[in-house]
């Protein structure tokens, strides 16, 4: 399931915590999101802004 577990608004941005392909992810998005818990992450993450990093902090 690729869904949002919860949001953390932090000033001018928000962190979205969720699951993609069985893996936990954290997504930083600008502003305060109007998305809700359990919304599909594909509706939250702009693909042209997506950067992936492994558990070691290196870009994948």
């Amino acid at each position: 399931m690729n869904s949002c577990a919860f949001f953390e608004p932090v000033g001018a941005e928000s962190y979205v915590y969720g699951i993609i392909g069985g893996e936990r992810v954290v997504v930083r998005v600008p502003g305060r999101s109007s998305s809700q818990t359990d919304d599909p992450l594909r509706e939250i993450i702009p693909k042209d802004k997506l950067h992936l990093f492994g558990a070691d902090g290196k870009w994948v």
Side-chain angles (χ1 to χ4, degrees):
M1 174 182 280
N2 300 333
S3 64
C4 171
F6 65 93
F7 293 89
E8 179 182 12
V10 183
E13 60 194 16
S14 295
Y15 289 91
V16 179
Y17 299 84
I19 304 290
I20 294 179
E23 299 290 327
R24 292 183 303 171
V25 296
V26 179
V27 180
R28 184 179 68 184
V29 296
R32 295 191 178 255
S33 178
S34 62
S35 299
Q36 301 293 320
T37 300
D38 294 327
D39 278 355
L41 285 176
R42 70 177 171 266
E43 295 177 8
I44 300 168
I45 305 170
K47 284 187 179 181
D48 62 329
K49 304 290 185 189
L50 184 61
H51 303 281
L52 300 175
F53 297 88
D56 60 1
K58 293 183 180 179
W59 183 61
V60 293

